[in-house]
Amino acid sequence: MIDPSHVAGLRVGRRRDVSVGSEPRPPVSWIVDAPAGWTVTRAEMRLDAAEPLAVPPSGVLVPWPFDDLSAGERRDLSVRVAGADGEWMPWSRPITVEAVFFPGVWTASLLGIRDPDTEAAPFALRREIEVGATVVSARLWVTAHGVFDAALDGVPVDDTVLAPGWTSYRHRLPLVSVDVSPLLRPGSTQVLSLRVAGGWFTERYGFGATAARFYGEQAAAGAVLRLTHLDGRVEEIGPDDRWRLNHRTEIVSSGLYAGERVDYRREQHGWRMPGFDATSWETPAPMPPLSAPTVIDVEPVRRVRTIRRMRELPASRPGVVLLDVGENVVGRVRLVADGPAGTVVTVRHAELLEDGELCVRPLRAAAAIDEFVLEGTGERACEAAFTFHGFRYVEIDGGQVDPERVEVEVLRSDLRRTGWFSCSDERLNHLHANIVRSFEGNALALPTDCPQRDERLGWTGDAQVFAPTAATLFDTDAFFSSWLRDVRAEQADRDGRVPTVVPDPLGALGDVMAAGWGDAVTVIPDVLARRYGDVAIAAEMLPAMRAWVDAVAAAAGPGRLWETGFQYGDWLDPTVTRPDKAKADPGLVATAYFFRSADLVARASEPGEAERYAQLAREIGEAFRAAYVTPAGRLASDAPSAYAL
């Protein structure tokens, strides 16, 4: 008999940090640790102590075999498997599955500033709640046009950062769900509070004079708290007239590109606790959500590590602290400062030094500056709340700051590391470490191209080319699956075209049909199916995959060579200074991707459709060889990228 610990890793959903049901029928996965040669032939699942049901034995995102979960429902799930000899392993240790999706359709309003006097103004919300003596549990749902942190009696409800993240807000507004039962004090008055800033929602997107706000001018947030009583009665507290709002908080301004300004002289102490006098606060304005809030099955952004004791460098000016973190990171600086009231502590960030100074030219319009105005009451811990920066070097000017007490909080989506590499050549080890850090810096809520300048967008080309490497280094199934749903949503009203950035806040600038970029819709589902056995997301994306290939087929025409329209081509040819001068012919690059996507769609389709796309792939291949391959076997574009494709 094999020890029951050999059936382990049981979870529901795709995310790895918790096991919760974000939908009524979440998929189930598990791991079997068995002797070499042992094969799983049968599997069963059971809820609580009910009769077990036979399920596919793969253990990878197995479809939910039971009745739909109800919101808030908690059930104990276990699994057992049998080998070729028919003998069952013991039941796995059960896990408690809680359905965290919102009960029914979200109809609550969001709350925002009634008459804002500044752009993208941060604000605070609070509501006092009478928690009955018979309350036994509570769950909180929060969503936002922007980013928020939430607390109950001043205690953070979770450890996430920049919640609820960034999705295609017009199609999917992320909804955070948190069990706050441990923070309850039945029979007392408690305070639910939120700090809110614009984040991705109010950021200006675009380049130079074209940069503009895309989603909205002001932030908003909505919260619903459901209290469950001993007798099963549920009490729901939503955005009613008992909420109060303050838009003159210590956070004066906040932007992802600009940074944050915090004036501690404006801080109202105790506002997150019961007994605070909020009569001077205003009544918030109700606002409709941009789209239906939905709990997203993906790991959130968290503080994943802290860097301390950085190397101090010679500064060019007296009183300035210049620190070398030692590596490029994405996150925020935390420091302790002292000084008279009104002292401004300025923290600047950059990836490079130039003549001993921060080199900020590559940041373009991103100021990447955090400012803290001291209240003059002694030492103050300073850290921005709703921004992040990509940097290696930090310059701190103003106040009394001990370099030994400066820390860097590294932020990213909390993905589980799965792949490592080392060898005898330290140059390769260093290269690999840079690759890991590159992905870590671009895995913050969604796959981006850069974390430092005024961009930080979900470029589809960058994601598709790096997805296999990312899936080797980290468990990225939930991360990419969530993003692919945004890809599908953004594609839906574009006649099959996939924008070059997802989410797409660039408008016409992002609405470009380009090979290698749009092909993310076919390549990444295949990566997830191959690496994780996630055939479900591939099946879900299949209509979008077909729509893309059909759109390219229309653009290429009966000749099957995609040589018309704009193409990025070999965008990063290192031998030229302009992408349009790359050695690889743009038509060759585009047609090669056209073939690849048609082939992937054929492999993913049912027999009838599969043959249609397989025939298309054969026609593309024949046209490619006729146009670009010489009789001697050389390519018309004698360039490494062309041969690689």
Side-chain angles (χ1 to χ4, degrees):
M1 184 66 70
I2 297 176
D3 185 87
S5 64
H6 287 180
V7 180
L10 183 61
R11 63 185 174 93
V12 298
R14 287 180 172 83
R15 59 188 288 186
R16 298 289 186 134
D17 59 327
V18 295
S19 194
V20 294
S22 59
E23 56 185 303
R25 305 185 67 83
V28 181
S29 303
W30 63 85
I31 296 169
V32 177
D33 185 6
W38 198 90
T39 304
V40 177
T41 59
R42 292 187 294 162
E44 289 183 338
M45 283 188 226
R46 69 180 180 189
L47 280 181
D48 303 324
E51 193 70 18
L53 297 178
V55 295
S58 67
V60 179
L61 298 170
V62 174
W64 184 258
F66 311 104
D67 292 338
D68 289 6
L69 291 169
S70 301
E73 185 177 7
R74 299 171 68 95
R75 304 291 295 274
D76 287 337
L77 174 70
S78 53
V79 66
R80 69 174 180 174
V81 298
D85 59 3
E87 185 175 358
W88 289 101
M89 283 187 180
W91 287 98
S92 67
R93 295 185 178 91
I95 62 168
T96 299
V97 178
E98 183 174 5
V100 300
F101 51 88
F102 192 73
V105 178
W106 178 280
T107 58
S109 297
L110 306 189
L111 302 177
I113 303 172
R114 188 170 297 277
D115 295 306
D117 53 10
T118 58
E119 296 182 345
F123 61 89
L125 287 166
R126 75 185 304 273
R127 189 196 190 281
E128 293 195 352
I129 300 164
E130 303 300 328
V131 182
T134 60
V135 172
V136 294
S137 65
R139 178 160 285 276
L140 174 68
W141 286 269
V142 189
T143 188
H145 290 167
V147 290
F148 70 87
D149 62 27
L152 201 58
D153 286 355
V155 179
V157 300
D158 61 17
D159 61 350
T160 63
V161 182
L162 296 169
W166 187 16
T167 56
S168 181
Y169 292 137
R170 297 176 300 172
H171 305 96
R172 293 198 311 157
L173 191 62
L175 180 64
V176 172
S177 180
V178 185
D179 181 2
V180 294
S181 303
L183 302 180
L184 289 179
R185 292 189 293 109
S188 65
T189 300
Q190 294 192 256
V191 173
L192 174 61
S193 61
L194 284 78
R195 294 190 304 173
V196 185
W200 291 280
F201 191 86
T202 59
E203 190 54 74
R204 293 182 181 274
Y205 298 101
F207 308 103
T210 66
R213 292 194 172 92
F214 179 78
Y215 297 109
E217 297 292 324
Q218 296 291 337
V224 173
L225 178 67
R226 287 170 60 90
L227 303 171
T228 301
H229 291 258
L230 189 60
D231 60 2
R233 177 172 57 92
V234 175
E235 179 185 0
E236 187 171 290
I237 297 167
D240 55 23
D241 58 5
R242 293 184 58 186
W243 285 87
R244 291 293 177 266
L245 181 148
N246 175 28
H247 68 275
R248 287 191 55 79
T249 70
E250 69 274 13
I251 304 178
V252 179
S253 63
S254 180
L256 299 181
Y257 299 163
E260 200 160 280
R261 180 176 175 85
V262 183
D263 189 341
Y264 292 113
R265 297 171 300 179
R266 296 178 16 159
E267 185 174 17
Q268 297 188 30
H269 298 281
W271 71 271
R272 304 193 94 152
M273 301 295 292
F276 176 80
D277 182 4
T279 54
S280 63
W281 288 31
E282 63 189 74
T283 301
M287 300 178 181
L290 197 60
S291 60
T294 306
V295 173
I296 306 299
D297 184 22
V298 66
E299 296 88 351
V301 176
R302 291 190 171 98
R303 298 174 175 88
V304 294
R305 61 190 173 105
T306 302
I307 299 176
R308 300 180 175 89
R309 297 180 179 84
M310 290 157 278
R311 184 165 66 101
E312 186 173 5
L313 302 176
S316 61
R317 304 186 309 280
V320 171
V321 175
L322 183 61
L323 298 175
D324 179 1
V325 180
E327 60 184 276
N328 270 3
V329 296
V330 174
R332 301 189 294 237
V333 171
R334 184 170 60 208
L335 55 87
V336 177
D338 200 352
T343 299
V344 179
V345 180
T346 302
V347 184
R348 300 171 63 228
H349 310 77
E351 291 185 313
L352 303 167
L353 293 181
E354 187 173 40
D355 299 327
E357 300 272 3
L358 296 187
C359 178
V360 297
R361 285 182 291 110
L363 302 181
R364 299 191 305 220
I369 297 174
D370 295 332
E371 293 181 323
F372 306 97
V373 184
L374 305 181
E375 75 273 42
T377 58
E379 288 189 337
R380 157 68 73 165
C382 304
E383 180 185 357
F386 296 119
T387 189
F388 67 92
H389 310 288
F391 60 98
R392 172 174 172 172
Y393 299 97
V394 179
E395 182 192 88
I396 305 170
D397 188 8
Q400 301 168 27
V401 176
D402 182 357
E404 293 293 318
R405 301 172 70 182
V406 177
E407 300 175 343
V408 170
E409 294 287 356
V410 180
L411 309 178
R412 65 166 165 79
S413 292
D414 194 9
L415 308 178
R416 184 174 66 105
R417 180 78 183 270
T418 56
W420 290 263
F421 169 83
S422 64
C423 69
S424 59
D425 192 324
E426 283 306 310
R427 296 171 300 174
L428 287 179
N429 291 338
H430 197 161
L431 172 63
H432 178 72
N434 286 347
I435 292 168
V436 173
R437 284 195 289 265
S438 178
F439 178 66
E440 285 190 299
N442 284 293
L444 198 151
L446 53 86
T448 57
D449 66 316
C450 67
Q452 80 291 51
R453 60 180 179 265
D454 58 338
E455 194 166 343
R456 313 183 199 183
L457 299 172
W459 287 94
T460 46
D462 303 55
Q464 73 85 11
V465 79
F466 197 78
T469 302
T472 298
L473 298 174
F474 291 87
D475 192 329
T476 59
D477 190 24
F479 182 72
F480 278 121
S481 293
S482 176
W483 183 71
L484 282 172
R485 291 187 170 115
D486 287 330
V487 172
R488 184 186 64 191
E490 293 277 8
Q491 178 201 33
D493 57 354
R494 301 175 191 247
D495 298 322
R497 301 190 313 278
V498 175
T500 53
V501 293
V502 173
D504 181 16
L506 297 182
L509 188 60
D511 194 14
V512 174
M513 186 173 171
W517 276 251
D519 295 281
V521 77
T522 62
V523 172
I524 297 180
D526 180 69
V527 169
L528 300 184
R530 290 172 180 270
R531 296 300 182 89
Y532 304 107
D534 192 349
V535 295
I537 192 64
E540 181 182 329
M541 292 297 297
L542 187 54
M545 296 165 65
R546 289 173 180 159
W548 167 252
V549 172
D550 291 346
V552 175
R560 302 309 189 201
L561 299 177
W562 191 9
E563 297 182 326
T564 60
F566 171 83
Q567 293 293 344
Y568 287 105
D570 188 9
W571 183 251
L572 298 180
D573 185 336
T575 66
V576 297
T577 57
R578 285 175 47 181
D580 60 345
K581 301 298 182 183
K583 292 180 179 178
D585 181 83
L588 182 152
V589 173
T591 305
Y593 265 105
F594 182 21
F595 169 84
R596 177 62 171 153
S597 284
D599 183 60
L600 290 174
V601 170
R603 294 170 184 271
S605 297
E606 294 297 323
E609 287 290 297
E611 177 52 33
R612 181 164 76 90
Y613 287 99
Q615 176 60 29
L616 175 61
R618 287 192 290 270
E619 293 173 6
I620 301 166
E622 291 169 2
F624 182 97
R625 288 188 291 274
Y628 304 124
V629 183
T630 71
R634 293 189 177 91
L635 287 177
S637 288
D638 190 29
S641 293
Y643 287 108
L645 292 172

